[in-house]
Amino acid sequence: MIDPPIWSDDQLEIDRLSAIAAFSKERLEEPLEDYLEAFDVYQGYVEEVLETTIDLSDLDHTGLDVLSDSRLLEAFRYLAGPPISEDDLKVLADARSLTKKNLETEPELVQRLIDVVRQVLDRRRFAWVVENREPTEAERSAAVLASAALMAASRAQTKRRTAGKNQQEEQVKEALRQLGFTEVPTRKIPTISAAPGPGEFCGECLLGTRKGDIIVRLWDQRVMPIECKVSNSSTNSVKRLNNDAAVKATSWKTDFGLRQVVPSAVLSGVYKLHNLSDAQERGLTIFWAHDLKPLTDWIEQTR
């Protein structure tokens, strides 16, 4: 069986810089309209929250109206500084669910949610609440604009990450199809025998005890889990590459044996050289989304 490629630091550096260049080009060409449309939508949400609660002065009586509306609940979470995720809000307010039915039947839950956000309210954006007075028109307008900008930026970042990962996965799948591989339904893979057959692959599923983005059965019977990773900063890359993909590589080799699996990652975005070297040394085979030819060439050699 042919061993997967191991890249020198010089080779990793060349591809690392190419990935950064591709990332920069994509970001600069990203349409501004997506952010502006989201900004306009969220500006309306924030204004509605302030109108409903009389500039946050009447949360005790209007809280249910805000919290039971998914649009306004999202804006409500962004009153905090920094904003609170829905999962964190549930934990802080000891809430099993934030559904309208649950909120209507548990008035004490509504009060807990209000108390949590009051405690962490952004005192810069909503100074008038802390000072127990009415806002000036300028203060109110600034608070609305700042909150809408926070929400729109978060939405754009989430959409970017999701779209980037989905696009990368489809790019890899199409490359596999061009090699003659067939996509089959996903399934749990507790043992090698449960994996797709030679010349087949499936989408995200549980391989052993950990999920893989794409699971490929090579022509020589080995299983090749491919992780698709998009990183927008070198700091973020540690989480996605070293603390996730490389950890999975170690786990899969322990579960299935060194010669039975070829843990791999297709990367795009921003990475530090020493993090790439570390992941490779831990058994992760690295390929790049901007140039899938090394991946497809190696897979062809397993026939």
Side-chain angles (χ1 to χ4, degrees), residues 52 91 163 188 208 283:
T52 301
V91 172
K188 289 184 179 179

Side-chain angles (χ1 to χ4, degrees), residues 18 40 65 139 147 176-177 224 235 242 260 296:
S18 294
D40 291 341
D65 294 330
E139 283 178 318
S147 301
L176 291 169
R177 295 185 192 104
M224 184 182 190
T235 301
N242 305 82
Q260 298 299 314
T296 56

Side-chain angles (χ1 to χ4, degrees), residues 161-203:
R161 285 194 300 269
T162 303
K165 178 177 171 59
N166 291 344
Q167 180 180 353
Q168 192 179 96
E169 288 183 7
E170 185 53 40
Q171 185 181 357
V172 173
K173 288 180 178 181
E174 182 56 31
L176 291 169
R177 295 185 192 104
Q178 292 297 321
L179 291 177
F181 280 75
T182 302
E183 184 168 7
V184 296
T186 59
R187 78 286 301 275
K188 289 184 179 179
I189 307 176
T191 63
I192 290 292
S193 61
E200 295 179 344
F201 70 91
C202 67

Side-chain angles (χ1 to χ4, degrees), residues 16 24 39 114-115 172 186 221 225 256-257 276:
R16 185 185 77 86
S24 299
F39 183 97
I114 292 170
D115 290 343
V172 173
T186 59
Q221 300 287 340
F256 297 106
L276 294 167

Side-chain angles (χ1 to χ4, degrees), residues 81-96:
I84 304 176
S85 70
E86 186 168 329
D87 287 340
D88 285 352
L89 184 58
K90 287 179 182 178
V91 172
L92 293 171
D94 190 22
R96 293 168 301 164

